[in-house]
Amino acid sequence: MSILTENYIVKNVRAYPVLREKFMAYMKGVKNLPEGFRENKLFHDYLKVRRNNPEKRVSQSEYMIFGFYNLSTGEQKKYLTDVEATRLMRPYNNDSEPYLKSKATFLKNFTRFIHRGWLYVPKASYEEFCDFLHKYRIIALKPQYSSWGIGFFKLTEEEFASKEDPKEFYQKLCEGRYLAEEFVQSCKELAAFHPSSLNTLRVITFRNGDRFEVFGGGLRVGNNGLCVDNAHGGGIFCEIDPESGKIITDGLDEYSNSYVTHPMTGVPFKGMQIPRWKEVVELCKEASKELPCLRVVGWDVAILEDGTLELIEGNHSPGMNIVQAPAKHGVYERFSSMLLDYYGEPDQYVTKQSA
């Protein structure tokens, strides 16, 4: 046995208990197991999928929401995991990362698409923060570089005033590099799914000069009374037909639980027409022209109570789960082909960045 083979075996033996613990913790959120499977059988099949697809780095969630337990290795290859998507996009999108990853930088660069008030807390005095909170009464707070809704919470003026030490709380926000935003709410059509959260549209676009195309889209709604709509925060997502703006699938959550209607409100997903869809697409098209380095972007757009279209953020490395999992159709070939068609070989961008 070579030292390389031996190291590979040792690495996998050591990883086994960690993977098993994570998998079993994840499975607690799965309401119905696939027919013919128990947790242990699923776990061992998951290990086989990882062995057969080492380049995909399949997560527990991807294994379940893509339905890999029922697919051949060839069919599994058709899906695009988050790791693969990031690797494919990185050469093309490296230049856009500084403008999109930082929430404060994003807000500064896309001001004409943003109507909500905002404040970067570390750059504001205590008095300025208090004035901002008093002006809007309710604000959303999120870490400057967070994703997946991690660290997000809502704060009212009354809650802040009741803090034992408001100044100390403000200091913690500064240390955590929090961004404060006016708390906005969805239009009645999208709020109907889950009124407690701002329910947003994810629109994935390609642009190169005058060429522009919507690769795919989806709706994300909150659940369980939480303020976030992100799947990692318990939200539900479904796919939208880019041409018509209609929802074409049932809802799905991170644990592969499927929903014909929202579990809290009973509002059906499939068949709903997204309001002002053509205008949403046009907004994303205009936003993609704002900087020359914007190539592939996952835009998050909200339709507010008064009908205003609001750009929430842009993602330089958008996940593809929302355009694959609900309808169970992989996009690996289409996505990789479009990258080459729109932008050519990735090596030319790597050379420019390292020069």
Side-chain angles (χ1 to χ4, degrees):
M1 183 185 294
S2 73
I3 189 169
L4 290 176
T5 304
E6 188 175 332
N7 286 344
Y8 179 79
I9 293 172
V10 169
K11 184 178 179 181
N12 279 275
V13 167
R14 287 176 175 169
Y16 179 91
V18 176
L19 281 173
R20 180 179 175 79
E21 184 179 356
K22 288 176 66 177
F23 189 86
M24 292 305 173
Y26 165 82
M27 289 303 295
K28 291 178 182 177
V30 179
K31 295 175 183 176
N32 298 299
L33 297 180
E35 188 175 349
F37 285 90
R38 309 282 288 185
E39 282 93 341
N40 279 333
K41 185 177 179 181
L42 279 169
F43 173 63
H44 287 286
D45 186 65
Y46 170 60
L47 292 181
K48 184 176 75 173
V49 167
R50 284 174 62 93
R51 283 196 303 271
N52 292 340
N53 301 279
E55 76 287 354
K56 287 187 173 296
R57 300 283 296 276
V58 181
S59 70
Q60 296 96 336
S61 178
E62 288 167 335
Y63 170 79
M64 290 298 294
I65 65 177
F66 295 157
F68 274 10
Y69 45 80
N70 277 334
L71 301 181
S72 66
T73 301
E75 290 172 319
Q76 292 164 8
K77 300 285 186 190
K78 296 177 181 179
Y79 284 81
L80 186 61
T81 63
D82 281 348
V83 168
E84 288 179 303
T86 298
R87 187 170 63 241
L88 286 172
M89 283 184 277
R90 184 175 290 129
Y92 304 104
N93 281 356
N94 256 348
D95 291 345
S96 67
E97 183 174 350
Y99 300 100
L100 301 180
K101 191 171 183 179
S102 160
K103 289 178 170 54
T105 302
F106 173 82
L107 291 167
K108 288 176 184 175
N109 280 284
F110 294 87
T111 52
R112 68 190 182 101
F113 308 100
I114 293 159
H115 308 90
R116 65 194 184 278
W118 65 276
L119 181 77
Y120 184 46
V121 182
K123 295 289 186 182
S125 67
Y126 175 72
E127 290 72 23
E128 287 171 329
F129 176 75
C130 290
D131 289 343
F132 182 82
L133 181 54
H134 179 67
K135 179 179 180 179
Y136 295 110
R137 305 289 182 177
I138 307 174
I139 61 173
L141 288 156
K142 56 185 82 169
Q144 155 87 318
Y145 292 101
S146 71
S147 56
W148 297 348
I150 296 171
F152 177 98
F153 67 98
K154 182 172 71 171
L155 180 71
T156 68
E157 189 174 19
E158 292 75 17
E159 288 169 339
F160 182 67
S162 67
K163 299 285 183 187
E164 187 175 337
D165 190 339
K167 281 194 173 181
E168 183 182 358
F169 180 80
Y170 156 78
Q171 287 296 336
K172 287 181 178 178
L173 293 178
C174 291
E175 292 164 11
R177 295 190 292 179
Y178 267 81
L179 184 78
E181 295 183 359
E182 174 187 359
F183 189 81
V184 292
Q185 294 181 296
S186 300
C187 64
K188 63 180 182 179
E189 293 91 341
L190 299 186
F193 285 103
H194 186 259
S196 303
S197 54
L198 178 66
N199 304 317
T200 60
L201 306 167
R202 167 61 62 88
V203 186
I204 302 168
T205 67
F206 278 63
R207 187 191 66 83
N208 187 1
D210 292 332
R211 289 186 70 189
F212 173 85
E213 188 171 341
V214 175
F215 179 80
L219 170 68
R220 307 184 306 176
V221 302
N223 195 13
N224 301 316
L226 300 176
C227 295
V228 295
D229 65 353
N230 197 286
H232 296 278
I236 299 170
F237 56 98
C238 49
E239 188 175 353
I240 296 171
D241 172 26
E243 291 297 320
S244 67
K246 280 189 178 180
I247 298 176
I248 56 175
T249 68
D250 293 332
L252 191 73
D253 68 16
E254 186 184 14
Y255 297 97
S256 193
N257 301 310
S258 183
Y259 305 91
V260 175
T261 63
H262 194 285
M264 294 188 71
T265 59
V267 177
F269 290 99
K270 195 172 182 179
M272 180 201 170
Q273 176 65 53
I274 299 298
R276 304 181 64 186
W277 177 252
K278 290 189 184 300
E279 293 168 75
V280 169
V281 171
E282 187 61 28
L283 180 146
C284 295
K285 182 178 181 179
E286 289 304 307
S288 72
K289 298 175 182 177
E290 204 70 3
L291 297 166
C293 60
L294 299 176
R295 296 186 178 98
V296 183
V297 181
W299 305 102
D300 290 340
V301 181
I303 306 175
L304 304 186
E305 286 179 291
D306 62 358
T308 299
L309 299 185
E310 182 78 357
L311 190 57
I312 303 300
E313 64 182 37
N315 300 271
H316 74 282
S317 185
M320 298 295 152
N321 292 354
I322 202 166
V323 295
Q324 297 183 105
K328 300 293 184 287
H329 56 141
V331 299
Y332 187 98
E333 285 300 324
R334 185 163 71 94
F335 187 78
S336 55
S337 296
M338 279 185 64
L339 283 174
L340 291 173
D341 180 40
Y342 263 73
Y343 312 114
E345 293 292 338
D347 292 351
Q348 61 181 308
Y349 299 97
V350 175
T351 303
K352 286 179 184 177
Q353 288 155 9
S354 58

PDB file of all heavy atoms in Angstrom, residues 172-195:
ATOM      1  N   LYS A 172     -21.485  46.623  20.835  1.00  0.00           N
ATOM      2  CA  LYS A 172     -21.408  45.254  20.319  1.00  0.00           C
ATOM      3  C   LYS A 172     -21.768  45.212  18.837  1.00  0.00           C
ATOM      4  O   LYS A 172     -21.197  44.431  18.076  1.00  0.00           O
ATOM      5  CB  LYS A 172     -22.326  44.336  21.126  1.00  0.00           C
ATOM      6  CG  LYS A 172     -21.794  44.035  22.533  1.00  0.00           C
ATOM      7  CD  LYS A 172     -22.715  43.096  23.294  1.00  0.00           C
ATOM      8  CE  LYS A 172     -22.141  42.777  24.665  1.00  0.00           C
ATOM      9  NZ  LYS A 172     -23.027  41.908  25.464  1.00  0.00           N
ATOM     10  N   LEU A 173     -22.721  46.063  18.448  1.00  0.00           N
ATOM     11  CA  LEU A 173     -23.061  46.157  17.029  1.00  0.00           C
ATOM     12  C   LEU A 173     -21.869  46.678  16.227  1.00  0.00           C
ATOM     13  O   LEU A 173     -21.601  46.202  15.121  1.00  0.00           O
ATOM     14  CB  LEU A 173     -24.266  47.065  16.818  1.00  0.00           C
ATOM     15  CG  LEU A 173     -25.613  46.587  17.367  1.00  0.00           C
ATOM     16  CD1 LEU A 173     -26.685  47.643  17.112  1.00  0.00           C
ATOM     17  CD2 LEU A 173     -26.030  45.262  16.730  1.00  0.00           C
ATOM     18  N   CYS A 174     -21.158  47.643  16.791  1.00  0.00           N
ATOM     19  CA  CYS A 174     -19.962  48.182  16.133  1.00  0.00           C
ATOM     20  C   CYS A 174     -18.890  47.110  16.011  1.00  0.00           C
ATOM     21  O   CYS A 174     -18.283  46.939  14.944  1.00  0.00           O
ATOM     22  CB  CYS A 174     -19.410  49.373  16.916  1.00  0.00           C
ATOM     23  SG  CYS A 174     -20.448  50.847  16.884  1.00  0.00           S
ATOM     24  N   GLU A 175     -18.670  46.375  17.085  1.00  0.00           N
ATOM     25  CA  GLU A 175     -17.651  45.319  17.084  1.00  0.00           C
ATOM     26  C   GLU A 175     -18.008  44.213  16.096  1.00  0.00           C
ATOM     27  O   GLU A 175     -17.127  43.617  15.469  1.00  0.00           O
ATOM     28  CB  GLU A 175     -17.495  44.744  18.491  1.00  0.00           C
ATOM     29  CG  GLU A 175     -16.879  45.714  19.484  1.00  0.00           C
ATOM     30  CD  GLU A 175     -17.078  45.284  20.932  1.00  0.00           C
ATOM     31  OE1 GLU A 175     -17.517  44.134  21.152  1.00  0.00           O
ATOM     32  OE2 GLU A 175     -16.775  46.080  21.835  1.00  0.00           O
ATOM     33  N   GLY A 176     -19.293  43.941  15.960  1.00  0.00           N
ATOM     34  CA  GLY A 176     -19.747  42.913  15.020  1.00  0.00           C
ATOM     35  C   GLY A 176     -19.876  43.411  13.598  1.00  0.00           C
ATOM     36  O   GLY A 176     -20.291  42.673  12.710  1.00  0.00           O
ATOM     37  N   ARG A 177     -19.531  44.686  13.378  1.00  0.00           N
ATOM     38  CA  ARG A 177     -19.597  45.330  12.056  1.00  0.00           C
ATOM     39  C   ARG A 177     -20.989  45.147  11.430  1.00  0.00           C
ATOM     40  O   ARG A 177     -21.145  44.642  10.329  1.00  0.00           O
ATOM     41  CB  ARG A 177     -18.506  44.785  11.137  1.00  0.00           C
ATOM     42  CG  ARG A 177     -17.111  45.133  11.610  1.00  0.00           C
ATOM     43  CD  ARG A 177     -16.054  44.810  10.584  1.00  0.00           C
ATOM     44  NE  ARG A 177     -15.900  43.368  10.388  1.00  0.00           N
ATOM     45  CZ  ARG A 177     -15.044  42.821   9.530  1.00  0.00           C
ATOM     46  NH1 ARG A 177     -14.290  43.597   8.774  1.00  0.00           N
ATOM     47  NH2 ARG A 177     -14.952  41.518   9.419  1.00  0.00           N
ATOM     48  N   TYR A 178     -21.979  45.595  12.184  1.00  0.00           N
ATOM     49  CA  TYR A 178     -23.369  45.448  11.751  1.00  0.00           C
ATOM     50  C   TYR A 178     -23.806  46.594  10.841  1.00  0.00           C
ATOM     51  O   TYR A 178     -23.373  47.738  10.986  1.00  0.00           O
ATOM     52  CB  TYR A 178     -24.297  45.396  12.960  1.00  0.00           C
ATOM     53  CG  TYR A 178     -24.577  43.987  13.423  1.00  0.00           C
ATOM     54  CD1 TYR A 178     -23.657  43.302  14.223  1.00  0.00           C
ATOM     55  CD2 TYR A 178     -25.742  43.322  13.059  1.00  0.00           C
ATOM     56  CE1 TYR A 178     -23.904  42.002  14.645  1.00  0.00           C
ATOM     57  CE2 TYR A 178     -26.000  42.034  13.475  1.00  0.00           C
ATOM     58  CZ  TYR A 178     -25.082  41.381  14.268  1.00  0.00           C
ATOM     59  OH  TYR A 178     -25.331  40.091  14.674  1.00  0.00           O
ATOM     60  N   LEU A 179     -24.683  46.236   9.928  1.00  0.00           N
ATOM     61  CA  LEU A 179     -25.347  47.200   9.058  1.00  0.00           C
ATOM     62  C   LEU A 179     -26.792  47.325   9.538  1.00  0.00           C
ATOM     63  O   LEU A 179     -27.451  46.314   9.804  1.00  0.00           O
ATOM     64  CB  LEU A 179     -25.314  46.692   7.618  1.00  0.00           C
ATOM     65  CG  LEU A 179     -25.886  47.608   6.549  1.00  0.00           C
ATOM     66  CD1 LEU A 179     -24.883  48.711   6.222  1.00  0.00           C
ATOM     67  CD2 LEU A 179     -26.189  46.807   5.284  1.00  0.00           C
ATOM     68  N   ALA A 180     -27.268  48.547   9.678  1.00  0.00           N
ATOM     69  CA  ALA A 180     -28.664  48.783  10.070  1.00  0.00           C
ATOM     70  C   ALA A 180     -29.437  49.260   8.845  1.00  0.00           C
ATOM     71  O   ALA A 180     -28.957  50.120   8.101  1.00  0.00           O
ATOM     72  CB  ALA A 180     -28.734  49.832  11.179  1.00  0.00           C
ATOM     73  N   GLU A 181     -30.616  48.682   8.642  1.00  0.00           N
ATOM     74  CA  GLU A 181     -31.453  49.069   7.515  1.00  0.00           C
ATOM     75  C   GLU A 181     -32.890  49.296   7.972  1.00  0.00           C
ATOM     76  O   GLU A 181     -33.349  48.653   8.919  1.00  0.00           O
ATOM     77  CB  GLU A 181     -31.456  47.980   6.435  1.00  0.00           C
ATOM     78  CG  GLU A 181     -30.127  47.739   5.765  1.00  0.00           C
ATOM     79  CD  GLU A 181     -30.228  46.686   4.662  1.00  0.00           C
ATOM     80  OE1 GLU A 181     -31.339  46.153   4.453  1.00  0.00           O
ATOM     81  OE2 GLU A 181     -29.200  46.411   4.028  1.00  0.00           O
ATOM     82  N   GLU A 182     -33.553  50.195   7.291  1.00  0.00           N
ATOM     83  CA  GLU A 182     -34.981  50.359   7.495  1.00  0.00           C
ATOM     84  C   GLU A 182     -35.667  49.011   7.277  1.00  0.00           C
ATOM     85  O   GLU A 182     -35.395  48.323   6.283  1.00  0.00           O
ATOM     86  CB  GLU A 182     -35.510  51.386   6.493  1.00  0.00           C
ATOM     87  CG  GLU A 182     -37.004  51.563   6.488  1.00  0.00           C
ATOM     88  CD  GLU A 182     -37.462  52.462   5.355  1.00  0.00           C
ATOM     89  OE1 GLU A 182     -36.601  52.959   4.595  1.00  0.00           O
ATOM     90  OE2 GLU A 182     -38.694  52.650   5.208  1.00  0.00           O
ATOM     91  N   PHE A 183     -36.525  48.593   8.189  1.00  0.00           N
ATOM     92  CA  PHE A 183     -37.218  47.311   8.050  1.00  0.00           C
ATOM     93  C   PHE A 183     -38.369  47.493   7.071  1.00  0.00           C
ATOM     94  O   PHE A 183     -39.305  48.234   7.322  1.00  0.00           O
ATOM     95  CB  PHE A 183     -37.743  46.835   9.410  1.00  0.00           C
ATOM     96  CG  PHE A 183     -38.276  45.429   9.379  1.00  0.00           C
ATOM     97  CD1 PHE A 183     -37.424  44.349   9.455  1.00  0.00           C
ATOM     98  CD2 PHE A 183     -39.643  45.189   9.263  1.00  0.00           C
ATOM     99  CE1 PHE A 183     -37.906  43.046   9.421  1.00  0.00           C
ATOM    100  CE2 PHE A 183     -40.136  43.895   9.227  1.00  0.00           C
ATOM    101  CZ  PHE A 183     -39.266  42.824   9.311  1.00  0.00           C
ATOM    102  N   VAL A 184     -38.261  46.825   5.927  1.00  0.00           N
ATOM    103  CA  VAL A 184     -39.282  46.973   4.890  1.00  0.00           C
ATOM    104  C   VAL A 184     -40.094  45.686   4.779  1.00  0.00           C
ATOM    105  O   VAL A 184     -39.650  44.610   5.188  1.00  0.00           O
ATOM    106  CB  VAL A 184     -38.639  47.323   3.532  1.00  0.00           C
ATOM    107  CG1 VAL A 184     -38.044  48.726   3.564  1.00  0.00           C
ATOM    108  CG2 VAL A 184     -37.575  46.302   3.140  1.00  0.00           C
ATOM    109  N   GLN A 185     -41.290  45.804   4.205  1.00  0.00           N
ATOM    110  CA  GLN A 185     -42.183  44.651   4.109  1.00  0.00           C
ATOM    111  C   GLN A 185     -42.637  44.421   2.669  1.00  0.00           C
ATOM    112  O   GLN A 185     -42.657  45.325   1.845  1.00  0.00           O
ATOM    113  CB  GLN A 185     -43.388  44.855   5.033  1.00  0.00           C
ATOM    114  CG  GLN A 185     -42.978  44.875   6.509  1.00  0.00           C
ATOM    115  CD  GLN A 185     -44.158  45.055   7.440  1.00  0.00           C
ATOM    116  OE1 GLN A 185     -44.812  46.092   7.412  1.00  0.00           O
ATOM    117  NE2 GLN A 185     -44.419  44.052   8.271  1.00  0.00           N
ATOM    118  N   SER A 186     -43.012  43.161   2.398  1.00  0.00           N
ATOM    119  CA  SER A 186     -43.380  42.738   1.053  1.00  0.00           C
ATOM    120  C   SER A 186     -44.746  43.260   0.638  1.00  0.00           C
ATOM    121  O   SER A 186     -45.602  43.570   1.480  1.00  0.00           O
ATOM    122  CB  SER A 186     -43.400  41.210   0.973  1.00  0.00           C
ATOM    123  OG  SER A 186     -42.146  40.662   1.276  1.00  0.00           O
ATOM    124  N   CYS A 187     -44.946  43.299  -0.685  1.00  0.00           N
ATOM    125  CA  CYS A 187     -46.266  43.598  -1.232  1.00  0.00           C
ATOM    126  C   CYS A 187     -47.249  42.523  -0.773  1.00  0.00           C
ATOM    127  O   CYS A 187     -46.851  41.432  -0.366  1.00  0.00           O
ATOM    128  CB  CYS A 187     -46.208  43.650  -2.758  1.00  0.00           C
ATOM    129  SG  CYS A 187     -45.767  42.074  -3.536  1.00  0.00           S
ATOM    130  N   LYS A 188     -48.538  42.810  -0.867  1.00  0.00           N
ATOM    131  CA  LYS A 188     -49.547  41.910  -0.305  1.00  0.00           C
ATOM    132  C   LYS A 188     -49.506  40.515  -0.933  1.00  0.00           C
ATOM    133  O   LYS A 188     -49.749  39.513  -0.252  1.00  0.00           O
ATOM    134  CB  LYS A 188     -50.942  42.513  -0.446  1.00  0.00           C
ATOM    135  CG  LYS A 188     -51.404  42.726  -1.879  1.00  0.00           C
ATOM    136  CD  LYS A 188     -52.812  43.335  -1.927  1.00  0.00           C
ATOM    137  CE  LYS A 188     -53.287  43.490  -3.379  1.00  0.00           C
ATOM    138  NZ  LYS A 188     -54.656  44.066  -3.447  1.00  0.00           N
ATOM    139  N   GLU A 189     -49.188  40.437  -2.243  1.00  0.00           N
ATOM    140  CA  GLU A 189     -49.171  39.132  -2.912  1.00  0.00           C
ATOM    141  C   GLU A 189     -48.088  38.219  -2.339  1.00  0.00           C
ATOM    142  O   GLU A 189     -48.310  37.025  -2.135  1.00  0.00           O
ATOM    143  CB  GLU A 189     -48.935  39.299  -4.420  1.00  0.00           C
ATOM    144  CG  GLU A 189     -50.076  39.988  -5.148  1.00  0.00           C
ATOM    145  CD  GLU A 189     -49.898  41.497  -5.222  1.00  0.00           C
ATOM    146  OE1 GLU A 189     -49.101  42.056  -4.427  1.00  0.00           O
ATOM    147  OE2 GLU A 189     -50.543  42.128  -6.079  1.00  0.00           O
ATOM    148  N   LEU A 190     -46.888  38.773  -2.077  1.00  0.00           N
ATOM    149  CA  LEU A 190     -45.799  37.957  -1.555  1.00  0.00           C
ATOM    150  C   LEU A 190     -45.857  37.836  -0.035  1.00  0.00           C
ATOM    151  O   LEU A 190     -45.463  36.806   0.523  1.00  0.00           O
ATOM    152  CB  LEU A 190     -44.453  38.535  -1.996  1.00  0.00           C
ATOM    153  CG  LEU A 190     -44.225  38.603  -3.513  1.00  0.00           C
ATOM    154  CD1 LEU A 190     -42.806  39.046  -3.828  1.00  0.00           C
ATOM    155  CD2 LEU A 190     -44.514  37.265  -4.175  1.00  0.00           C
ATOM    156  N   ALA A 191     -46.357  38.861   0.637  1.00  0.00           N
ATOM    157  CA  ALA A 191     -46.507  38.795   2.088  1.00  0.00           C
ATOM    158  C   ALA A 191     -47.525  37.736   2.491  1.00  0.00           C
ATOM    159  O   ALA A 191     -47.456  37.185   3.596  1.00  0.00           O
ATOM    160  CB  ALA A 191     -46.933  40.154   2.643  1.00  0.00           C
ATOM    161  N   ALA A 192     -48.466  37.432   1.588  1.00  0.00           N
ATOM    162  CA  ALA A 192     -49.513  36.449   1.896  1.00  0.00           C
ATOM    163  C   ALA A 192     -48.928  35.090   2.272  1.00  0.00           C
ATOM    164  O   ALA A 192     -49.520  34.352   3.064  1.00  0.00           O
ATOM    165  CB  ALA A 192     -50.456  36.303   0.697  1.00  0.00           C
ATOM    166  N   PHE A 193     -47.765  34.750   1.713  1.00  0.00           N
ATOM    167  CA  PHE A 193     -47.148  33.465   2.041  1.00  0.00           C
ATOM    168  C   PHE A 193     -46.742  33.404   3.512  1.00  0.00           C
ATOM    169  O   PHE A 193     -46.996  32.419   4.197  1.00  0.00           O
ATOM    170  CB  PHE A 193     -45.906  33.228   1.173  1.00  0.00           C
ATOM    171  CG  PHE A 193     -46.222  32.854  -0.245  1.00  0.00           C
ATOM    172  CD1 PHE A 193     -46.104  33.783  -1.268  1.00  0.00           C
ATOM    173  CD2 PHE A 193     -46.633  31.567  -0.566  1.00  0.00           C
ATOM    174  CE1 PHE A 193     -46.380  33.436  -2.580  1.00  0.00           C
ATOM    175  CE2 PHE A 193     -46.920  31.214  -1.874  1.00  0.00           C
ATOM    176  CZ  PHE A 193     -46.806  32.150  -2.885  1.00  0.00           C
ATOM    177  N   HIS A 194     -46.080  34.481   3.977  1.00  0.00           N
ATOM    178  CA  HIS A 194     -45.539  34.496   5.337  1.00  0.00           C
ATOM    179  C   HIS A 194     -45.298  35.958   5.714  1.00  0.00           C
ATOM    180  O   HIS A 194     -44.257  36.532   5.389  1.00  0.00           O
ATOM    181  CB  HIS A 194     -44.226  33.699   5.386  1.00  0.00           C
ATOM    182  CG  HIS A 194     -43.661  33.542   6.752  1.00  0.00           C
ATOM    183  ND1 HIS A 194     -42.616  34.310   7.219  1.00  0.00           N
ATOM    184  CD2 HIS A 194     -43.995  32.698   7.776  1.00  0.00           C
ATOM    185  CE1 HIS A 194     -42.310  33.947   8.457  1.00  0.00           C
ATOM    186  NE2 HIS A 194     -43.129  32.971   8.815  1.00  0.00           N
ATOM    187  N   PRO A 195     -46.258  36.596   6.375  1.00  0.00           N
ATOM    188  CA  PRO A 195     -46.200  38.040   6.618  1.00  0.00           C
ATOM    189  C   PRO A 195     -45.019  38.510   7.469  1.00  0.00           C
ATOM    190  O   PRO A 195     -44.625  39.673   7.385  1.00  0.00           O
ATOM    191  CB  PRO A 195     -47.530  38.327   7.339  1.00  0.00           C
ATOM    192  CG  PRO A 195     -48.427  37.193   6.969  1.00  0.00           C
ATOM    193  CD  PRO A 195     -47.533  36.011   6.818  1.00  0.00           C
TER     194      PRO A 195
END
